[in-house]
């Protein structure tokens, strides 16, 4: 028999589905919220999905850095591709590189891959879940600062995702300095 | 015209221009993977700007929420679809090797294949 869906452990998904429902109707009324919650629960029971298993710890400064840098990157990416689309002459030299990520969480891998596809110069061609490896198509090797530059860029995105969402243990496991030290260093830079 | 209308118009023009550039890119880029870049980046930002312009010019919060949903879903689905197209293209040999400086995925796939077949 299929594993029973425990609804109370799935409340974030139901809240998200209810929020989508309310947004689609466009106004926040009690009836809409209740209908959204009921429909959300119904969807979870009728169409059960495997658990992603998020046990991270969201960290607000990390999330702010991630989101702001992401939007800057999206704009830069569009400008870059637009320039290349309209430019005359040679096509840029491309490459497919392997990037071994430091975290082992499925969710962090997914988010990193999604963000990589939207920022300048990279698209994920293949993701290998067990070894935590992404295969990234680099649009223009010279623009990205060579193969190593492109690899460093993908790892930098992963670093931001880790600081935004991972637990302290995962940060330590990935070989990154703990968050507290990150803050202290930044405040030292400001005061200096 | 009010300030809001000016901003909305600017958003519309920029958004449409970016979408046009995305289309030109898809036409001009040499291979599948490069085309996926055009399909994800200028296209997504073009849609975001168009939706912003639409939200500003309509000015109704009921519609604005729906437009935000459109943007959120675009951000979630565009990378996934680009990935799926790229992956399928890769596995069916639609990728032009001669345009790639380095190709570490083919190296790894071939190594994995060699490991599977004994002898």
């Amino acid at each position: 028999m299929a594993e029973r869906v425990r609804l109370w452990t799935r409340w974030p998904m139901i809240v998200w589905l209810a929020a989508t429902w309310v947004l689609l109707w466009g106004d926040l009324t009690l009836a809409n919220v209740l209908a959204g919650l009921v429909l959300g629960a119904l969807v979870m029971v009728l169409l059960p999905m495997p658990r992603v298993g998020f046990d991270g710890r969201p960290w607000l400064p990390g999330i702010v850095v991630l989101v702001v840098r992401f939007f800057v990157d999206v704009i830069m990416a569009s400008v870059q591709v637009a320039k290349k689309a309209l430019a005359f002459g040679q096509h840029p030299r491309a490459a497919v590189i392997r990037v071994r990520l430091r975290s082992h969480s499925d969710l962090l891998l997914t988010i990193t891959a999604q963000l990589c596809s939207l920022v300048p110069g990279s698209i994920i061609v293949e993701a290998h879940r067990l070894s935590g490896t992404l295969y990234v198509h680099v649009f223009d090797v010279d623009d990205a600062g060579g193969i190593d530059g492109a690899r460093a860029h993908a790892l930098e995105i992963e670093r931001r995702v880790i600081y935004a969402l991972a637990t302290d243990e995962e940060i330590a496991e990935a070989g990154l300095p703990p968050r507290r030290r990150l803050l202290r260093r930044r405040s030292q830079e400001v005061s200096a | 015209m009010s300030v809001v209308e000016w901003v909305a118009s600017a958003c519309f023009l920029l958004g449409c221009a970016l979408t046009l550039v995305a289309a030109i890119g898809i036409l001009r880029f040499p291979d599948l993977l490069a085309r996926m870049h055009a399909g994800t980046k200028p296209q997504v930002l073009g849609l975001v700007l168009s939706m912003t312009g639409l939200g500003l010019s309509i000015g109704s919060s009921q519609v604005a929420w729906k437009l935000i949903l459109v943007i959120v879903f675009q951000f979630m689905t565009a990378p996934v679809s680009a990935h799926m197209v790229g992956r399928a293209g890769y596995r069916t040999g639609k990728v032009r090797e001669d345009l790639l400086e380095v190709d570490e995925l083919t190296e790894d796939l071939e190594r994995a294949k060699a490991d599977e077949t004994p002898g």
Side-chain angles (χ1 to χ4, degrees), chain B residues 52-102:
Chain B
T52 311
L54 197 58
L56 287 175
S57 62
I58 293 177
S60 127
S61 69
Q62 264 205 359
V63 177
W65 287 116
K66 288 189 189 86
L67 298 178
I68 289 173
L69 265 190
V70 169
I71 293 173
V72 168
F73 278 113
Q74 178 76 19
F75 271 124
M76 292 200 299
T77 54
V80 178
S81 55
H83 165 70
M84 290 321 288
V85 173
R87 187 171 192 264
Y90 215 98
R91 304 222 151 187
T92 49
K94 302 281 191 302
V95 173
R96 279 177 58 187
E97 298 281 330
D98 56 311
L99 293 170
L100 294 178
E101 183 99 335
V102 185

Side-chain angles (χ1 to χ4, degrees), chain A residues 23-24 27 78 82 85 87 91 93-98 114 117 119 122 124-126 135 137 147 151, chain B residues 21 28-29 33 36-37 41 45 62 65-66 75-76 79-80 83 87 90-91 99-102 104 108:
Chain A
L23 288 178
L24 282 173
D27 43 13
S78 298
H91 288 295
R93 296 178 314 147
V96 174
I97 58 170
R98 149 188 352 104
Q114 287 251 350
S117 287
V119 303
S122 51
I124 306 303
V125 188
E126 183 79 74
Y135 292 90
H137 178 255
I147 305 285
R151 195 168 285 145
Chain B
V21 165
R28 284 199 61 206
F29 286 152
L33 292 175
M36 285 298 107
H37 285 272
K41 284 144 201 166
L45 189 62
Q62 264 205 359
W65 287 116
K66 288 189 189 86
F75 271 124
M76 292 200 299
V80 178
H83 165 70
R87 187 171 192 264
Y90 215 98
R91 304 222 151 187
L99 293 170
L100 294 178
E101 183 99 335
V102 185
E104 294 177 339
D108 286 4

Side-chain angles (χ1 to χ4, degrees), chain B residues 23-38:
Chain B
I24 295 173
I26 287 181
L27 208 63
R28 284 199 61 206
F29 286 152
D31 75 332
L32 178 92
L33 292 175
R35 288 189 175 125
M36 285 298 107
H37 285 272

